[in-house]
Amino acid sequence: IAHILIPEPEGGGGENRIFRTQGRDILTWCLCALAVREADTGELACNLPYLFNILCGSDSGMAAFFREMQLCPYYEGTISRAGARYLSKQEQSPKSWSSFLVEAQDALQIYDPAGPLGQAITTSDFDPADLKNPDRPTSIFIIIPPEKAATHSSYAGLVLNTLIDGCIEADRFAPRVTILADEFANLSIGKLPAILPTKYIGRSRGVQLITYVQDIESYATRYGRESSAFTSQSEVIMAWGVRTTKDAEDYSKRSGMRALLTETGSVPISNNNTSKSLSWAEKGVPHMRPDDFLHLPDFKAVLFYKQHPPITVDLVSYKMVEPWRSHAQDMPGAPPEKELKVGYRV
């Protein structure tokens, strides 16, 4: 949770790194202390709005919480030592402490209990473990209003990461869980820790992750050298609405090469020379050129399945195909969708 609230940017370093590290340390051990408080007392304390009240409240209230942490006997005194450490910094190095604390406070701003998000997430009416409970079929929809995407989308990433962690830790294949992450690149300003493990071991744990991005470069922006997992570990890759030449070139290379035979010949260069020659030349050309991807018609896509050559397919609305048609409902207030003719041409 702390790594999602205060992510480490790709190639992050420099003098600001110590502030991010210390901010994560504060969030981590304070959340652990709140988890202990909730387990011991039953108080709904282990949530981010509650933590906001502690770290963004008065200095005296924060100091009282750190003294309470010092009394925690669990985990071989780790929480106790953290409380002593923070109390000491608060009292003896107030300037440094203030700089570290600001990192944690900034990460918690959208969880202010007085705000709409803080009010909504203090309690929960479902058990995330139901995603892997065969007796409790569960679907979860995480929707961020467009006008709040810039500030609240990181919360969607936090929830997504937590749910995926629960599915992986269940350590069983059934029931299978499919995760659709639209606008995946906007779910967090840094990488989500659960994503890459899901790409590598999710198949054996019955967890399928489908991500939608505007361009494939956005994977590298957050996941750096490990971003190749999004393509190397995916059985299916689909491209449509391609708008960048780099993406078009990458997809063209992925399409593979095919042999093209051309006939070449020589002709006489003078009236006295009547000899002619004929030969064949072979060269490799991509199955699909970059401009083929850039100029795809509307509602057309190119699908790559495993190691096979690409195929061009029609895009159709999921509401036109059973059983999805029976399960889907229109969002209240949404305008009617355009009817698409189902062709199923490949």
Side-chain angles (χ1 to χ4, degrees):
I1 291 175
H3 272 279
I4 297 172
L5 295 177
I6 307 178
E8 192 68 23
E10 178 63 22
E15 60 183 14
N16 290 330
R17 183 172 185 177
I18 187 174
F19 299 110
R20 294 191 297 270
T21 301
Q22 292 296 322
R24 282 192 292 266
D25 186 78
I26 294 170
L27 292 173
T28 298
W29 294 112
C30 286
L31 283 171
C32 289
L34 290 179
V36 170
R37 174 186 287 188
E38 182 165 317
D40 284 346
T41 67
E43 180 185 6
L44 292 177
C46 191
N47 57 72
L48 296 177
Y50 198 105
L51 182 59
F52 175 94
N53 282 337
I54 292 175
L55 296 184
C56 300
S58 66
D59 289 344
S60 59
M62 197 185 327
F65 178 68
F66 294 152
R67 282 192 286 271
E68 179 185 330
M69 289 176 63
Q70 286 184 280
L71 301 176
C72 180
Y74 305 115
Y75 306 111
E76 299 181 350
T78 305
I79 296 177
S80 176
R81 288 192 295 273
R85 186 165 64 246
Y86 303 148
L87 191 61
S88 175
K89 289 180 180 178
Q90 184 184 20
E91 295 174 347
Q92 300 178 16
S93 305
K95 188 174 181 180
S96 297
W97 168 254
S98 178
S99 299
F100 300 151
L101 182 62
V102 164
E103 287 285 338
Q105 290 174 332
D106 287 347
L108 294 172
Q109 287 304 311
I110 63 172
Y111 305 102
D112 183 345
L117 184 58
Q119 293 174 0
I121 66 172
T122 301
T123 60
S124 174
D125 58 1
F126 75 92
D127 184 355
D130 285 344
L131 285 171
K132 276 294 186 178
N133 184 346
D135 300 323
R136 296 287 300 275
T138 302
S139 296
I140 299 173
F141 298 86
I142 308 168
I143 303 173
I144 301 296
E147 67 274 12
K148 297 185 181 297
T151 56
H152 288 40
S153 59
S154 59
Y155 173 66
L158 176 61
V159 175
L160 180 67
N161 194 89
T162 304
L163 295 174
I164 292 175
D165 267 342
C167 293
I168 296 295
E169 290 170 1
D171 195 16
R172 57 176 177 271
F173 183 79
R176 295 188 61 183
V177 176
T178 299
I179 300 161
L180 299 176
D182 193 16
E183 295 293 347
F184 177 73
N186 296 325
L187 290 181
S188 175
I189 58 176
K191 65 181 180 181
L192 300 176
I195 297 299
L196 290 177
T198 302
K199 282 294 182 183
Y200 290 114
I201 66 173
R203 192 173 293 113
S204 63
R205 304 291 177 90
V207 182
Q208 179 185 24
L209 174 63
I210 302 172
T211 60
Y212 296 85
V213 294
Q214 298 288 343
D215 61 86
I216 55 179
E217 187 67 22
S218 61
Y219 292 130
T221 302
R222 287 161 177 78
Y223 294 86
R225 290 174 294 180
E226 298 174 301
S227 62
S228 60
F230 287 93
T231 51
S232 64
Q233 300 298 317
S234 297
E235 286 195 340
V236 176
I237 297 174
M238 185 176 287
W240 75 91
V242 180
R243 294 183 176 88
T244 69
T245 55
K246 185 179 185 308
D247 282 0
E249 291 169 356
D250 289 342
Y251 287 131
S252 179
K253 292 177 182 178
R254 178 173 288 275
S255 72
M257 305 292 286
R258 58 188 173 89
L260 181 66
L261 292 175
T262 59
E263 184 181 296
T264 62
S266 63
V267 296
I269 59 175
S270 66
N271 292 334
N272 295 329
N273 185 0
T274 60
S275 63
K276 299 181 180 180
S277 65
L278 184 66
S279 62
W280 294 92
E282 180 180 5
K283 64 177 181 178
V285 297
H287 278 290
M288 297 185 68
R289 304 185 310 271
D291 56 293
D292 291 329
F293 289 95
L294 288 171
H295 303 150
L296 280 172
D298 291 340
F299 308 115
K300 290 283 187 180
V302 177
L303 185 145
F304 299 91
Y305 176 64
K306 292 186 176 180
Q307 75 278 14
H308 302 295
I311 56 177
T312 303
V313 299
D314 290 329
L315 293 177
V316 300
S317 171
Y318 67 92
K319 294 181 181 179
M320 303 174 68
V321 183
E322 291 291 357
W324 301 320
R325 182 205 302 268
S326 302
H327 295 170
Q329 292 182 345
D330 289 327
M331 184 180 298
E337 292 185 353
K338 179 180 179 181
E339 283 294 326
L340 303 177
K341 183 179 293 186
V342 181
Y344 295 119
R345 293 187 305 274
V346 175

